[in-house]
Amino acid sequence: MNSGRKAKGKKEKGLFGLNKPLASFSLPLLSVIQWAILFVFVSCSVGPDYKPPKVDIPKNWKWGEPKPNPNPSPSQGKPKPAVNKEANKGNGLQSEENIKKAIEEAKKNPGKWKVAEPKDFIKKGEWWKIFNDPVLNQLEAEAEVANQQIKMAMANVVEARAGVGAALSAFFPHTNFTPSYQRWKLKTHLPWLPFILPEPIYSTVPLPGIPAGSIIGTTHYYGFQPTLNMWQVYLNSNWELDIWGKLRRQLEAAKAEAQASQAELEGMKLTIHADVAQAYYLLRYIDSQLEVMERMIHVYEDNLKRVEIRYKSGLSNELDLARAKTDLSRIKAQYIALESHRAKVENSIARLLGQPASTFHFPRKPLKEEPPDIPTSLPSEILEQRPDISQAEREMAATNAMIGVAYAAYFPSVNLNAYFGFFNTDFGQLFTWPSNSWIYGPLIDLPLFEGGRLLANLMQARAAYEKAVASYRETVLSAFEEVENALIGVRLLEEEQKVEDEVVASAKKQYELAFDRFQRGLSHYIEVDTTETVWLNAILTDIALRGERFIVRIALIRAFGGGWQDSSMKKSPIKEAESKKVQK
């Protein structure tokens, strides 16, 4: 019976070429593959190509140049030596030649934004080493390997790079191996099952008076049995042709997202290293304030003893004694509050280093040295190496590519499908050649009515791009604000500390005079109380200004993007000429 059906199958041509030899469909399959390759090479990419937006970038910093001295010394009032203009090109100084070029460029491009050229690939290096502090170097090294936020950013990079691989895999055929087993139960009396009719039996050999292949009878059962087993083993392959560039746009977006995640990692490293450095110098200037307050506590204790002696001898009144006790209690309370603040800063450093705050202890190290010099006359293009600007620009590119993906949804998608496997109700006959079946051919999917979904997706992609553009420009504007604020601090804090040094000296002198007058009985303790408080506050402010000068330099480095090229560290020709002149 089976052999009869097999002979019959060789004579007839079944649906989709079932039970045909493989050689009979190899030629059409080859032609389909050739057409698919042709489609891939001649296909286009719909949607707008990415063009970085322009950003209005000034050539120089408003607070980048040193403030002119209103009262120059005789040596400063002399004419400055001539400066080579060629050597002054590109250093970002407000030279006459640069100003003329800026005016000419402004006339050519009024109100234009500069084309984005991210330079976050520039190696930032270990910028904290300019502070020449081995302890800070050790803390930064520990933060690099143990900080959890950096590890999360690294994981994001790996995840985004895996997304690129997933987008790239869409260009290749996807093939699945799918074995299955099912047990069916069917009712044979259903009128809509045409295959329940008696099945004819064909003769496989000639019989007397009956040629081979003739019907010699029917089966004794009708169609399928009420219950049966179904065994299937097949390979299913699908290949989407990228005719309209949807897959290419998806790959473009995935690459941009991976680059954005890399920039995010660099930005996270910059933030963590800057936070460690700022917390370190904040802790050190708090230690300096604690050191001063410990000395002042001894001074207040000595004053209290002197007042008590004078009070017992009748030279001071009870009010002076109460003031002396109040001063001592107040400075002790301030000392305790400052210790509490130090403990919190110490805990923040522990978190940045990836250590439990309960086991981290940092020894006292008062701040004594001066902060290093940092060039402030760098060109404004240095901001293009900031990681956050690069991240915003790459996110812009990704959202632009997604517009092409949404636009490609309007066009028909073409998939090449192929199926080959074995199908039988008898597992013993499953892998025999009569049990094989195959299907191949293209599948075209043309959207006709989506209820506005495609238009909504396209509008959403365009709005996301416009939002990314605005976010990018806002990031650039914020970067300029951060740099200018840091430059203000670099310049004015130094001037403020010079004035504060004079305040400390004057307050100390005032306190000494008031204490001398009190000792000689010419005044009450209220003068000592007032001048002593002014002197202490002036000292603490002076120490805080020194620490803020370190912190604001770190903020400037962060605003610059974490570093600069080595050539930018060199002194400008004007400053070199001035320094040589002073030496002469």
Side-chain angles (χ1 to χ4, degrees), residues 520-535:
R520 290 187 294 165
L522 300 178
S523 64
H524 294 287
Y525 185 76
I526 187 172
E527 291 187 1
V528 177
D529 175 37
T530 303
T531 56
E532 195 171 29
T533 301
V534 172
W535 181 33

Side-chain angles (χ1 to χ4, degrees), residues 349-364:
I349 295 178
R351 177 183 58 82
L352 292 171
L353 300 184
Q355 300 183 24
S358 302
T359 59
F360 180 79
H361 299 283
F362 192 85
R364 291 276 187 92

Side-chain angles (χ1 to χ4, degrees), residues 239-264:
W239 186 17
E240 181 179 0
L241 302 182
D242 191 25
I243 300 176
W244 315 111
K246 183 185 75 172
L247 301 182
R248 277 168 284 173
R249 292 299 190 191
Q250 289 177 341
L251 180 60
E252 180 183 342
K255 288 181 178 179
E257 288 291 348
Q259 293 168 346
S261 66
Q262 183 66 41
E264 182 184 12

Side-chain angles (χ1 to χ4, degrees), residues 103-174:
I103 294 175
E104 292 176 0
E105 184 177 354
K107 290 180 179 179
K108 294 179 181 179
N109 302 309
K112 296 290 184 180
W113 290 75
K114 183 183 181 297
V115 177
E117 298 175 358
K119 294 186 176 65
D120 63 321
F121 57 85
I122 297 177
K123 187 177 181 180
K124 310 303 187 302
E126 299 173 334
W127 52 263
W128 51 87
K129 289 189 175 180
I130 66 172
F131 293 94
N132 197 24
D133 191 327
V135 178
L136 176 61
N137 297 342
Q138 179 63 29
L139 294 178
E140 297 288 4
E142 293 180 11
E144 178 77 21
V145 298
N147 184 268
Q148 299 304 310
Q149 291 177 286
I150 293 179
K151 290 184 177 181
M152 287 189 292
M154 288 181 175
N156 289 337
V157 172
V158 176
E159 181 181 8
R161 289 178 177 175
V164 175
L168 187 61
S169 67
F171 288 87
F172 301 93
H174 294 171

Side-chain angles (χ1 to χ4, degrees), residues 62-69 93 376-377 491 495 575 578:
K62 180 171 58 176
W63 289 87
E65 290 302 311
K67 184 178 180 181
N69 191 350
L93 297 177
T376 58
S377 59
R491 179 194 291 181
E495 297 178 6
K575 292 185 178 181
E578 289 180 351

Side-chain angles (χ1 to χ4, degrees), residues 544-580:
L545 287 173
R546 185 185 301 274
E548 288 296 332
R549 288 172 61 197
F550 278 90
I551 293 174
V552 78
R553 278 162 171 75
I554 298 169
L556 179 60
I557 294 174
R558 178 190 293 190
F560 277 153
W564 43 81
Q565 293 173 323
D566 294 337
S567 59
S568 301
M569 293 293 293
K570 298 178 181 178
K571 291 184 178 180
S572 63
I574 293 179
K575 292 185 178 181
E576 288 184 353
E578 289 180 351
S579 61
K580 291 180 180 178

